[in-house]
């Protein structure tokens, strides 16, 4: 008879078919789940994020027990005296008599290192298994990246489409092209009302966690009122189903649109659940492809959505594991400004920033364009320090885990990796925000003015950013036109930009 094994399930591994549970013997193996103070506080996560993760963990443990598994669940109160996973797991290993511990590889480099060191020192057999919930393994990505100077998502994504036959017909992309982005950049009409997001009233398990976080973590960022997220797989499936029926058809059209006091729009709100393991990326992609086949959603929407999950999500994960630990240290533009207080809710007259921070504070959610073109764009233009920006994004969003947060911050918004991910920095003036949102209509600044006290700060910060980073960016072919325009400006115009930027940044500091 094989000896009993301990199966460790981490907070973002809430999938019944996770590799660490394969071949489990329900009679004698023990599943261990731990709520750890060290994980809840290594950055001061948003209160709603803590509730989401801990409540989903407790519900998952309940499901496992109902299915007849032996589960050891350690709550925050039980684990307080252990400073890290390893000591907690060692303690349970010793107490349970198991000499073999099975773990699916964690999503964060920091934890993987801890586990690998533990493998070297432990008397027990510590078995690390691949996380096969992704469609591309870290080795697949390494093979694809081999010998490439730039790692563009688009080509990686096409490979995966071919490999899995997703939206393919006789070896060619359905619709005759790989990408329908050009149809996907519409501003949202004022009279269009997006469907309300799915809501789930907290049950007693969630309510206990809300009370715990309210009293135990009062200083963490974010509002806790009105927690209504899914915390079980059944609920997450309802969110998926609602998205496919009600939002997917217009997802593509309004993917880049922003609206005052509504971050949800036609987005899926699925990242919380996919990243926790409650939904599998494969089933989400399949649901969207089926909607297209059944003519319930158009191709521009379905392709645009599938590209986010099959393309971007898999790609950032591959890049993270390929580049860590050096990726974290990247600071190509030598940015060193402390992150301004407005990211933590300090008053700002810039309405777009105020709206996006407020959405984030209330919901632990903002959609992609808010994260990229408002909050990220501003951090890029002012030269915010990458370490502080990374920490902010990691703690404020309920879907944030380092493997997905860091490439988006280092590569996509800050160009801190020198262009490994993005062919140029996503820098933009106020005109972009004005075109894609209603924020400017309610702002004290004038988006049409280029310089001076009333001018939209994005306008002069954009040119000041290009001027400041000329040495690193001028040779970038995709910035050729921008630099030609900068060079054509009169000395007076350039000086006015620099003066406006100097005054603004001084006040910001
Ligand atoms: C600076 C910055 C930080 C980000 N940090 C995170 C993060 O910590 N966690 C996270 O899951 N996403 C992150 N994203 C990506 C994206 O903004 C979120 O996945 C998305 O807003 C989640 O909302 P949704 O589920 O409604 O997404 P939708 O717009 O409906 O997109 C569908 C799905 O595609 C995936 N996806 C889309 N874009 C990306 C991307 N760039 N990288 C990875 N997956 C993507 C997500 O799984 C998402 O659920 C970040 C983007 C930026 C610009
Ligand atoms: S005017 Fe400028 S600062 Fe104000 S909302 Fe528009 S883009 Fe933002």
């Amino acid at each position: 008879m094989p000896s009993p094994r301990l199966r460790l399930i981490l907070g973002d591994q809430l999938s019944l078919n996770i590799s660490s549970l394969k071949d489990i013997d329900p009679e004698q193996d023990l599943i261990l789940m731990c709520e750890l103070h060290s994980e809840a506080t290594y950055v001061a996560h948003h209160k709603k994020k803590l509730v989401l993760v801990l409540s989903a963990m407790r519900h998952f443990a309940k499901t496992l027990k109902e299915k007849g598994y032996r589960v050891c669940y350690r709550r925050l109160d039980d684990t307080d005296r252990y400073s890290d996973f390893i000591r907690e797991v060692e303690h349970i290993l010793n107490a349970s008599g198991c000499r073999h511990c099975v773990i699916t590889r964690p999503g964060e480099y920091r934890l993987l290192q801890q586990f690998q060191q533990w493998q070297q020192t432990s008397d027990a057999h510590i078995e690390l298994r691949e996380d096969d919930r992704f469609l591309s393994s870290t080795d697949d990505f390494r093979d694809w990246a081999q010998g490439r100077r730039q790692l563009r998502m688009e080509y990686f994504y096409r490979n995966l489409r071919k490999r899995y036959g997703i939206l393919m017909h006789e070896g060619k992309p359905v619709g005759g092209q790989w990408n329908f982005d050009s149809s996907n950049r519409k501003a949202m009409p004022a009279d269009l009302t997006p469907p309300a997001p799915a809501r789930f009233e907290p049950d007693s398990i969630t309510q206990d966690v809300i009370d715990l976080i309210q009293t135990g973590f009062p200083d963490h960022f974010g509002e806790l009122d009105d927690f209504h997220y899914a915390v079980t797989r059944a609920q997450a499936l309802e969110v998926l189903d609602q998205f496919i029926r009600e939002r997917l058809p217009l997802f593509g059209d309004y993917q880049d649109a922003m609206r005052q006091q509504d971050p949800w729009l036609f987005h899926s709100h699925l990242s919380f659940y996919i990243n926790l393991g409650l939904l599998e990326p494969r089933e989400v992609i399949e649901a969207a492809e089926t909607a297209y086949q059944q003519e319930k959603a158009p191709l521009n929407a379905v392709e645009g959505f599938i590209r986010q999950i099959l393309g971007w999500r898999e790609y950032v994960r591959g890049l993270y594991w390929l580049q860590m630990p050096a990726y974290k240290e990247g600071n190509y533009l030598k940015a060193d400004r402390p992150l301004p207080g407005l990211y933590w809710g300090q008053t700002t007259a810039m309405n777009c920033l105020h709206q996006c921070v407020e959405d984030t504070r209330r919901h632990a959610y903002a959609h992609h364009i808010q994260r990229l073109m408002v909050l990220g764009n501003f951090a890029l233009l002012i030269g915010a320090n990458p370490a502080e920006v990374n920490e902010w994004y990691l703690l404020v969003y309920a879907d944030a885990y380092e493997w997905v947060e860091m490439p988006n911050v280092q590569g996509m918004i800050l160009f801190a990796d020198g262009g490994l991910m993005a062919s140029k920095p996503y820098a933009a003036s106020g005109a972009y925000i004005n075109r894609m949102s209603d924020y400017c209509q309610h702002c004290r600044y004038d988006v049409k003015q280029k310089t001076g006290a009333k001018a939209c700060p994005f306008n002069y910060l954009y040119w000041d950013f290009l001027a400041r980073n000329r040495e690193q960016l001028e040779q970038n072919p995709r910035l050729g036109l921008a630099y030609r325009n900068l060079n054509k400006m009169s000395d007076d115009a350039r000086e006015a930009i620099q003066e406006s930027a100097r005054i603004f940044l001084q006040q910001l500091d």
Side-chain angles (χ1 to χ4, degrees):
M1 189 162 143
S3 55
R5 286 183 280 186
L6 189 70
R7 314 277 178 158
L8 178 62
I9 299 285
L10 307 179
D12 59 353
Q13 297 184 341
L14 310 182
S15 318
L16 283 174
N17 59 354
I18 187 96
S19 57
S20 54
L21 292 184
K22 288 188 178 137
D23 67 12
I24 187 168
D25 178 346
E27 300 287 316
Q28 52 168 356
D29 289 358
L30 181 65
I31 298 174
L32 172 62
M33 296 179 70
C34 305
E35 296 173 1
L36 285 175
H37 214 264
S38 54
E39 289 305 303
T41 54
Y42 80 97
V43 293
H45 302 285
H46 193 298
K47 296 190 192 85
K48 277 201 170 107
K49 178 180 184 182
L50 288 176
V51 173
L52 175 72
V53 177
L54 296 187
S55 175
M57 285 176 72
R58 291 183 183 189
H59 281 93
F60 187 69
K62 183 165 169 269
T63 305
L64 290 169
K65 284 182 194 159
E66 283 164 2
K67 288 191 174 297
Y69 294 114
R70 297 174 60 226
V71 180
C72 169
Y73 191 92
R74 311 278 289 164
R75 292 181 176 222
L76 270 184
D77 306 344
D78 310 322
T79 59
D80 240 7
R81 61 206 168 101
Y82 295 105
S83 57
D84 61 37
F85 261 129
I86 308 306
R87 292 185 57 202
E88 177 68 19
V89 184
E90 275 284 358
H91 168 73
I92 305 289
L93 264 174
N94 291 333
S96 67
C98 297
R99 301 315 302 145
H100 183 167
C101 179
V102 185
I103 313 168
T104 294
R105 274 170 65 111
E108 294 203 358
Y109 186 85
R110 172 183 63 91
L111 282 179
L112 181 65
Q113 268 194 319
Q114 284 183 30
F115 286 137
Q116 285 174 335
Q117 278 162 12
W118 183 39
Q119 271 181 320
Q120 309 299 321
T121 53
S122 177
D123 297 336
H125 174 37
I126 312 302
E127 181 187 347
L128 281 172
R129 294 185 178 174
E130 275 306 309
D131 188 345
D132 55 14
R133 294 171 300 170
F134 290 87
L135 286 99
S136 166
S137 71
T138 49
D139 285 346
D140 289 343
F141 190 87
R142 199 172 292 278
D143 291 347
W144 173 79
Q146 183 92 38
R148 289 173 195 256
R149 200 168 54 83
Q150 294 174 321
L151 303 177
R152 296 287 171 258
M153 189 285 290
E154 184 64 31
Y155 300 107
F156 171 75
Y157 161 65
R158 289 181 192 180
N159 276 349
L160 285 182
R161 288 258 306 265
K162 286 189 232 164
R163 179 160 140 204
Y164 288 100
I166 295 170
L167 291 180
M168 298 295 291
H169 179 65
E170 296 178 349
K172 300 230 160 32
V174 169
Q177 57 194 74
W178 292 101
N179 182 320
F180 291 83
D181 245 3
S182 55
S183 332
N184 285 357
R185 302 246 158 88
K186 298 191 182 111
M188 193 176 306
D191 58 359
L192 179 62
T193 309
R199 289 183 64 89
F200 303 91
E201 292 314 315
D203 61 6
S204 60
I205 296 180
T206 303
Q207 197 51 56
D208 280 352
V209 179
I210 291 174
D211 296 344
L212 176 75
I213 300 305
Q214 194 75 285
T215 47
F217 302 84
D219 300 332
H220 283 216
F221 179 78
E223 191 174 299
L224 189 44
D225 291 352
D226 194 30
F227 179 90
H228 61 267
Y229 299 142
V231 288
T232 63
R233 174 164 164 79
Q235 291 175 339
L237 282 168
E238 276 185 57
V239 181
L240 171 61
D241 185 53
Q242 194 217 40
F243 167 68
I244 299 286
R245 278 186 288 107
E246 299 181 3
R247 291 191 157 75
L248 178 62
L250 290 181
F251 172 86
D253 285 2
Y254 303 120
Q255 198 178 342
D256 287 7
M258 295 176 280
R259 182 178 278 180
Q260 180 116 334
Q261 289 171 5
D262 185 356
W264 308 107
L265 303 180
F266 289 93
H267 291 273
S268 68
H269 327 144
L270 292 173
S271 55
F272 298 167
Y273 314 121
I274 306 176
N275 293 353
L276 278 172
L278 296 179
L279 294 176
E280 291 255 345
R282 282 182 190 80
E283 69 189 332
V284 175
I285 292 169
E286 260 172 45
E289 192 175 16
T290 304
Y292 170 67
Q293 286 159 351
Q294 295 175 347
E295 299 184 6
K296 291 181 178 154
L299 187 53
N300 71 306
V302 172
E303 187 284 316
F305 178 71
I306 288 180
R307 177 149 32 89
Q308 306 310 311
I309 297 188
L310 183 66
W312 281 113
R313 187 171 186 275
E314 297 286 330
Y315 168 87
V316 297
R317 187 216 182 210
L319 189 67
Y320 174 80
W321 285 108
L322 182 72
Q323 293 293 317
M324 280 299 277
Y327 204 64
K328 197 174 186 156
E329 308 305 328
N331 189 359
Y332 181 71
L333 299 177
K334 302 187 176 61
D336 60 1
R337 184 176 302 282
L339 194 69
L342 66 88
Y343 281 85
W344 301 109
Q346 225 170 60
T347 319
T348 169
M350 297 174 75
N351 187 43
C352 52
L353 285 170
H354 168 70
Q355 294 294 329
C356 294
V357 170
E358 190 53 16
D359 287 340
T360 304
R361 193 185 68 77
R362 289 184 60 206
H363 306 296
Y365 177 86
H367 73 66
H368 186 67
I369 297 301
Q370 296 179 294
R371 298 187 203 193
L372 177 66
M373 297 308 294
V374 179
L375 298 160
N377 186 17
F378 188 71
L380 171 75
L381 297 186
I382 64 169
N385 174 307
E388 291 189 30
V389 181
N390 272 298
E391 181 175 348
W392 188 81
Y393 275 95
L394 184 59
L395 72 85
V396 298
Y397 292 114
D399 56 22
Y401 302 86
E402 194 179 80
W403 65 266
V404 53
E405 168 278 320
M406 188 175 288
N408 274 298
V409 169
Q410 291 288 85
M412 202 180 292
I413 66 169
L414 296 184
F415 208 68
D417 64 1
L420 192 64
M421 177 199 267
S423 54
K424 73 176 180 70
Y426 279 89
S429 69
Y432 176 87
I433 296 172
N434 189 32
R435 194 163 60 248
M436 298 314 300
S437 77
D438 57 357
Y439 296 149
C440 302
Q441 296 161 28
H442 308 274
C443 186
R444 207 183 75 192
Y445 293 105
D446 180 353
V447 73
K448 298 274 188 284
Q449 290 191 36
K450 304 289 177 229
T451 53
K454 193 115 187 35
C456 166
F458 277 100
N459 291 344
Y460 48 77
L461 289 174
Y462 171 75
W463 293 112
D464 184 61
F465 165 79
L466 288 178
R468 249 183 16 243
N469 294 292
R470 193 182 275 279
E471 200 185 314
Q472 288 96 329
L473 298 178
E474 194 171 17
Q475 300 311 318
N476 183 316
R478 294 202 57 208
L479 289 175
L481 180 65
Y483 273 103
R484 279 198 295 284
N485 287 337
L486 180 63
N487 296 341
K488 270 195 280 185
M489 279 181 196
S490 66
D491 288 348
D492 283 354
R494 269 206 298 268
E495 270 166 34
I497 284 168
Q498 270 172 4
E499 183 58 7
S500 290
R502 191 187 60 72
I503 295 170
F504 177 86
L505 292 173
Q506 206 169 43
Q507 281 168 0
L508 193 69
D509 291 342

